[in-house]
Amino acid sequence: MTCRQCSSIKHIPDVAKGFHDTQEFKELRQRVSEIRKRLAHERQSRTENDAVVDKSGDKCLSQIRTLRQTFNVIFDRLEGRTIAEVESRKTSLRNKIQADVDQIDDVTEKLKMLTDALKDGSDTNEALSYIGFSKCDEVIFNAQLLLQTIANKDDFKMTFQPFKGITEYLSSIEMLGEVICEGGEKPLPRPDHVFEVEKHVLHNVKVEDDKHTCYITGICRLANGEFLLSDINNLKLKLLNSSYQVMSTSDIPNWPQDLCSTGQREAAVTVDDTKDRHEILLVRVKAGKIEHMRTIKLHHSSAGLAHHDDHLYVTTCTALHVYDMAGGQGRQLYSDETGQDTVTRCAVSSDGSRIYITNFTHQLITLNKDGTTLSTLTHPDMHNPATPHVTAQGHVFVTCWERNTVVQVTEKNNQQTVTTLAGANNGLTEPWSLCFYSNTSLLVGQCDNDNIVELKLK
């Protein structure tokens, strides 16, 4: 096993000499105070939320008891109606039985009366006997018909059969209803979901020593919820907290064209002066400060930038190149020399299977991971498309610089649809850069404007 050798060893007392006089050490108490305030605020918020959970849980229990009472009322009504139906049917059947009994008793009584009157006929006139015989014979005939009618009847009885749907449904369910827990991370909508803007908020990102109006060419969100911006007009990177307040800045030697997140608290920035300087600057955020780590030199211009799977995708305005993070020899994936801004900016899907590039004139082009063109979208509402952005779920957004809009591109059955998501009425003025976060928020950087625009989506 080979161990990496340390080039030098420094003693802590030597490294720490003069540390008390550094600005970083002097600001420590203030930073600790601010973070403690934020922690206390979040703790209070969590405590209050705990009370909300307890109260909402009790409300659920009350609703379950109310539901049970409602069921009791419903079942009491159903039981009453069913019992009444049984009594009604029982009375009807007994009336039919009693009608048969009454007919039998009537015939029996008639036969008894006739036979008693006739006796043996010795003391009766034969004419009267004949009349009595005829009547008796007629009653016997009616009695036989009655017996035949009754014999053809089945015995009455009653049974109760519950509706199968009721017992089967009640047996099939586990609970009286669904217990839904709200809050936490918002789930990502389906890839074909078309967003709408619920509201927009402007956030000023100009700092005191800015000499020019801000021009935000890139935005990315770090793992801790902070944001990193590239401001090409003021040659700076700007670190924003989760409330969009500028915490610190870092000077860039030349024009920062674009940036993207490359790790938990790391990012890459394309720097280009359009003449001799073409490079990627790798930075990290530590203790609220932006630190420069190293630089990757390029042999071509650098404009748009995206990161995926330890690789950096760089646009040159006419081509797309891919490099590994070590800055090794890159390769060209795509090229279009028919104009000056045919490959403006780029974005890569979360699985790396799709690469989106903008032709600044009028197109959004989709490539596979090998650089083969999958689709070319041209649409009148997508004039001067600048920066594409693709979410982890596959939603695609594009800033349209000249139209002052952000559009969403959705795909279904291999058909792409363009929907204007936001415009000037949402505070947009020459939008350029994009960052989607928290599953329903979109942050937009603008040209020659001190405000970034937060779009709350639904």
Side-chain angles (χ1 to χ4, degrees):
M1 182 176 69
T2 303
C3 297
R4 184 174 61 184
Q5 300 297 317
C6 297
S7 59
S8 64
I9 299 176
K10 294 183 180 180
H11 295 286
I12 291 179
D14 294 336
V15 176
K17 188 175 181 179
F19 185 66
H20 283 162
D21 297 326
T22 63
Q23 188 66 24
E24 185 177 3
F25 182 76
K26 292 177 180 179
E27 293 176 352
L28 180 62
R29 288 184 180 276
Q30 179 63 28
R31 286 171 48 211
V32 170
S33 176
E34 290 177 358
I35 199 68
R36 288 185 64 186
K37 286 180 182 178
R38 290 174 59 188
L39 290 169
H41 173 76
E42 291 301 330
R43 188 184 189 283
Q44 179 65 24
S45 176
R46 292 288 88 188
T47 302
E48 292 173 356
N49 190 225
D50 181 70
V52 171
V53 169
D54 187 51
K55 186 176 181 179
S56 60
D58 289 343
K59 184 178 179 180
C60 290
L61 296 176
S62 176
Q63 289 174 320
I64 292 171
R65 296 187 185 99
T66 300
L67 183 62
R68 175 56 187 267
Q69 292 173 359
T70 302
F71 286 163
N72 289 342
V73 172
I74 294 172
F75 278 111
D76 286 346
R77 187 182 74 248
L78 293 175
E79 181 186 34
R81 289 179 176 177
T82 307
I83 290 174
E85 181 68 13
V86 169
E87 293 295 342
S88 175
R89 296 290 184 90
K90 184 171 70 173
T91 299
S92 176
L93 293 179
R94 294 189 66 192
N95 288 339
K96 291 179 180 180
I97 294 171
Q98 188 60 45
D100 289 342
V101 171
D102 291 344
Q103 289 187 69
I104 292 171
D105 290 346
D106 182 61
V107 171
T108 301
E109 182 63 23
K110 287 180 178 179
L111 288 173
K112 181 178 181 302
M113 291 175 59
L114 288 171
T115 54
D116 287 346
L118 289 175
K119 294 183 180 179
D120 57 4
S122 58
D123 299 331
T124 308
N125 184 289
E126 286 187 350
L128 294 175
S129 296
Y130 176 75
I131 293 172
F133 172 81
S134 298
K135 288 184 177 180
C136 188
D137 189 53
E138 181 181 353
V139 172
I140 290 172
F141 178 77
N142 290 335
Q144 289 174 336
L145 288 178
L146 177 62
L147 289 172
Q148 184 178 355
T149 300
I150 293 174
N152 288 331
K153 293 181 180 179
D154 290 330
D155 288 341
F156 292 117
K157 66 178 179 178
M158 297 178 64
T159 59
F160 175 68
Q161 179 63 55
F163 289 133
K164 291 183 178 180
I166 294 177
T167 54
E168 289 176 357
Y169 177 72
L170 293 176
S171 299
S172 68
I173 60 177
E174 297 288 335
M175 298 182 295
L176 291 177
E178 184 179 3
V179 179
I180 301 173
C181 297
E182 300 177 357
E185 281 293 323
K186 298 177 182 177
L188 274 170
R190 291 167 50 89
D192 58 356
H193 173 76
V194 178
F195 288 93
E196 296 179 14
V197 176
E198 189 172 20
K199 68 175 182 178
H200 71 276
V201 184
L202 304 183
H203 302 285
N204 192 295
V205 293
K206 189 177 183 66
V207 296
E208 187 175 350
D209 61 345
D210 281 347
K211 296 180 181 179
H212 306 283
T213 305
C214 300
Y215 191 130
I216 306 304
T217 56
I219 305 176
C220 71
R221 190 170 187 250
L222 304 177
N224 64 349
E226 296 172 345
F227 296 90
L228 201 60
L229 315 182
S230 55
D231 183 347
I232 194 171
N233 274 359
N234 293 292
L235 303 182
K236 286 177 182 174
L237 296 181
K238 296 180 176 180
L239 179 65
L240 276 59
N241 60 23
S242 57
S243 300
Y244 315 104
Q245 299 169 323
V246 180
M247 300 167 59
S248 63
T249 65
S250 177
D251 294 334
I252 297 296
N254 222 302
W255 296 348
Q257 301 287 336
D258 197 3
L259 63 77
C260 65
S261 174
T262 58
Q264 291 289 306
R265 305 197 70 179
E266 298 179 352
V269 187
T270 46
V271 176
D272 198 293
D273 64 359
T274 71
K275 294 181 181 179
D276 303 320
R277 192 166 201 146
H278 317 297
E279 56 194 27
I280 301 173
L281 182 64
L282 302 179
V283 302
R284 66 183 172 189
V285 174
K286 184 177 180 181
K289 303 293 182 182
I290 304 169
E291 298 181 351
H292 294 208
M293 295 191 296
R294 61 188 178 88
T295 301
I296 300 174
K297 298 291 185 180
L298 303 176
H299 300 291
H300 54 74
S301 62
S302 56
L305 185 63
H307 173 264
H308 180 266
D309 194 24
D310 210 33
H311 286 81
L312 292 170
Y313 295 79
V314 185
T315 66
T316 70
C317 293
T318 58
L320 174 68
H321 295 257
V322 60
Y323 293 85
D324 59 39
M325 288 293 293
Q329 183 63 40
R331 60 190 177 93
Q332 181 175 286
L333 284 181
Y334 176 85
S335 177
D336 183 352
E337 301 289 342
T338 61
Q340 294 183 341
D341 293 296
T342 55
V343 188
T344 311
R345 293 288 186 269
C346 64
V348 184
S349 64
S350 59
D351 61 0
S353 64
R354 292 194 170 200
I355 305 168
Y356 299 90
I357 60 175
T358 50
N359 179 320
F360 191 59
T361 304
H362 57 283
Q363 290 178 334
L364 175 69
I365 301 162
T366 307
L367 312 174
N368 67 10
K369 62 182 179 180
D370 298 321
T372 302
T373 301
L374 299 177
S375 66
T376 300
L377 175 62
T378 304
H379 195 278
D381 290 342
M382 200 171 60
H383 190 64
N384 289 137
T387 302
H389 183 88
V390 56
T391 72
Q393 194 73 359
H395 308 100
V396 178
F397 303 101
V398 184
T399 53
C400 297
W401 170 75
E402 188 176 78
R403 290 192 180 274
N404 299 322
T405 60
V406 172
V407 301
Q408 181 181 352
V409 179
T410 52
E411 183 173 334
K412 191 173 184 179
N413 299 326
N414 295 321
Q415 294 292 324
Q416 291 178 307
T417 302
V418 176
T419 304
T420 298
L421 180 67
N425 60 324
N426 303 112
L428 297 183
T429 305
E430 297 183 348
W432 193 263
S433 49
L434 282 175
C435 178
F436 182 85
Y437 60 100
S438 298
N439 296 351
T440 54
S441 294
L442 194 62
L443 205 59
V444 184
Q446 308 187 96
C447 305
D448 294 315
N449 197 308
D450 292 333
N451 293 314
I452 57 174
V453 181
E454 175 194 7
L455 299 175
K456 287 290 187 180
L457 308 180
K458 62 179 179 179

